[in-house]
């Protein structure tokens, strides 16, 4: 059982897992959640702005949004993170010192905004023209019709794709490790990797992987739930409704 | 149903083109206050475009639209639309809102009513169309006929001076048409000024005060239903009636 014991030593060294567990919980998990949550919020806000600009009838608003999307969707995430995280740090260190966190979050958000912008745009465009027409016929301005009627429906329709993007962000948050983190700033991956190097086996990284799954798997199920709800909708009994309608018509 | 303060509607020489495609070529239509005008005609004759030119969902290229004798083409189109209710072929209820919220949304955001006032106005309107018990339901769970009645309630809740109906029963199953037409006939009885684009010749004959036949972007002939349906002048109208009756 040579292979088994090698695998066992590499991946299932309970001792080194137990040793790193408190730090993984108190430091790694917290930092990963902060990075992911902050870039989800900022990326969603920026993504909505990109989507609204991309849908504008004015070319001078539409084109910057399209170019932005092409660039940030087309570059490898790690390259963008390094360019922004390292490139801008001489400027931003005047404001918050050498802390790589804000720039890491900014880079993750800018990348996410390109994808999320496209998701929102496709959702908003998929809403039937009659919805805006009905809103306008009631007296809503174009802006209010979009804000109150079209965009809320578009967002609902793309919730599954949006949550998938959030899952990607949780995973991509590990890339900020390339910016160099203080011990207290390390996220799940970095803590797992450091402990793996110290212990000479990959068990701490496996533990980090388990933590990622604890975050992402429930999100995946949330996607499936939204998807099912969108496909099947709420249960209705059209035949009953029709009979009731007939009864009413005959009164 | 309450009686309303009706307003007259007049369309004079309205022209509208999509690029090179001239859809309206000088349409004239005068609807006295409290009258119901039915607009009939073949597909593509410009009937639906005419309705959208009246409430400026589409801006006319030429001509004028007079509401109570005043031109409405120069003012704010959003404000104009609050005076004109419109009902669509495919209902266009907001599917993400309950039946009640479909009606309260414009009352609250446009008429600035507080939530209690908006809800009580909306419930009263639902009562009139016989759907008070569906206030909490989503539009998607209602039949087509019920959805169209909610759409009518939503438009009426804004207390319009004129109502436009764009083939309001064309998307309904045959057995559901009657209920919606009955509601529209009731509304006509209350003295609402209405322009009804329809393929329901029976409705046009019984309810309309006047019928206008449109073809190729103009009103070819108009008159009281009796004259249009039994004593049509133009060969195109006679041909159309021969096909649909």
């Amino acid at each position: 059982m040579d292979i088994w014991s090698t695998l066992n030593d590499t991946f299932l060294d309970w001792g080194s897992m137990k040793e790193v567990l408190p730090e993984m919980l108190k430091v790694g998990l917290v930092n990963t959640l902060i990075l992911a949550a902050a870039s989800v919020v900022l990326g969603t806000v920026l993504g909505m702005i990109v989507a609204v600009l991309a849908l504008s009838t004015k070319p001078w608003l539409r084109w910057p949004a399209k170019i932005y999307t092409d660039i940030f969707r087309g570059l490898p995430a790690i390259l963008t993170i390094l360019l922004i995280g390292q490139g801008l740090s001489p400027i931003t260190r005047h404001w918050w010192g050498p802390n790589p966190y804000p720039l890491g979050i900014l880079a993750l958000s800018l990348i996410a905004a390109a994808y999320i912008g496209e998701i929102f745009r496709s959702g908003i465009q998929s809403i039937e023209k009659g919805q805006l027409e009905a809103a306008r016929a009631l007296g809503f301005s174009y802006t209010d019709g979009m804000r109150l009627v079209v965009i809320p429906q578009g967002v609902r329709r793309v919730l599954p794709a949006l949550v998938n993007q959030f899952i990607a962000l949780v995973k991509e948050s590990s890339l900020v490790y390339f910016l160099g983190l203080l011990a207290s700033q390390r996220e799940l991956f970095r803590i797992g990797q450091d402990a793996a190097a110290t212990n000479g086996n990959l068990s701490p990284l496996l533990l980090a992987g388990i933590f990622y799954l604890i975050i992402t798997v429930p999100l995946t199920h949330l996607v499936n739930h939204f998807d099912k709800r969108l496909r099947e909708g709420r249960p209705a009994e059209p035949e009953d409704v029709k009979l009731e309608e007939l009864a009413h018509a005959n009164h | 149903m309450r009686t309303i303060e009706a307003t007259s509607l007049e369309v004079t020489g309205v022209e509208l083109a999509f690029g090179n495609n001239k859809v309206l070529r000088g349409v004239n239509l005068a609807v006295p206050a409290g009258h119901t005008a039915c607009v009939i005609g073949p597909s593509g004759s410009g009937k639906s475009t005419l309705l959208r030119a009246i409430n400026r969902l589409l801006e006319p290229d030429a001509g004028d639209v007079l509401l109570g004798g005043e031109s409405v083409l120069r003012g704010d189109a959003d404000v104009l639309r609050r005076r004109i209710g419109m009902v669509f072929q495919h209902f266009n209820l907001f599917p993400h809102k309950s039946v009640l919220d479909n009606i309260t949304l414009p009352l609250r955001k446009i008429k600035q009513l507080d939530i209690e006032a908006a809800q009580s106005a909306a419930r009263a309107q639902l009562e009139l169309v016989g759907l008070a018990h569906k206030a909490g339901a989503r539009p998607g769970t209602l039949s087509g006929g019920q959805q169209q009645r909610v759409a009518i309630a939503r438009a009426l809740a804004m207390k319009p001076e004129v109502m436009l109906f764009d083939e309001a029963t064309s998307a309904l199953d045959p057995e559901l048409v009657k209920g919606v037409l009955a509601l529209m006939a009731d509304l006509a009885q209350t003295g609402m000024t209405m322009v009804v684009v329809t393929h329901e010749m029976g409705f046009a004959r019984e309810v309309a005060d006047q019928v206008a036949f449109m073809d190729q972007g103009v009103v070819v002939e108009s008159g009281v239903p009796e004259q249009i349906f039994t004593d049509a002048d133009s060969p195109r109208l006679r041909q159309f009636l021969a096909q649909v009756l």
Side-chain angles (χ1 to χ4, degrees), chain A residues 8 40 48 53 58 61 63 65 74 85 100 117-118 121 130 154 165 169 186 202 205 219-220 227 234 239:
Chain A
N8 200 35
V40 158
M48 182 53 83
L53 293 180
K58 299 177 180 75
L61 288 175
W63 278 101
E118 282 295 279
R121 185 189 57 73
Q165 202 53 47
L169 265 177
R186 293 177 304 163
L202 294 178
L205 265 182
L219 286 175
T220 316
D227 226 13
R234 284 155 193 253
E239 284 311 310

Side-chain angles (χ1 to χ4, degrees), chain B residues 71-89:
Chain B
S71 174
V72 295
L73 293 186
R74 271 169 291 280
D76 184 343
D78 294 338
V79 175
L80 163 69
R81 293 192 200 103
R82 290 165 203 174
R83 302 171 61 191
I84 302 179
M86 187 165 187
V87 175
F88 298 87
Q89 182 178 0

Side-chain angles (χ1 to χ4, degrees), chain A residues 7-25:
Chain A
L7 289 176
N8 200 35
D9 289 348
T10 308
F11 294 113
L12 299 174
D13 178 358
W14 305 115
S16 56
M17 281 194 196
K18 209 172 149 190
E19 198 185 341
V20 77
L21 183 64
E23 200 176 21
M24 205 152 270
L25 272 172

Side-chain angles (χ1 to χ4, degrees), chain B residues 40-42 201 213 235-245:
Chain B
I40 61 171
M201 296 304 147
F213 169 66
R236 270 145 81 190
L237 173 55
R238 283 206 293 272
Q239 190 190 356
F240 174 75
L241 290 174
Q243 281 166 349
V244 296
L245 289 179

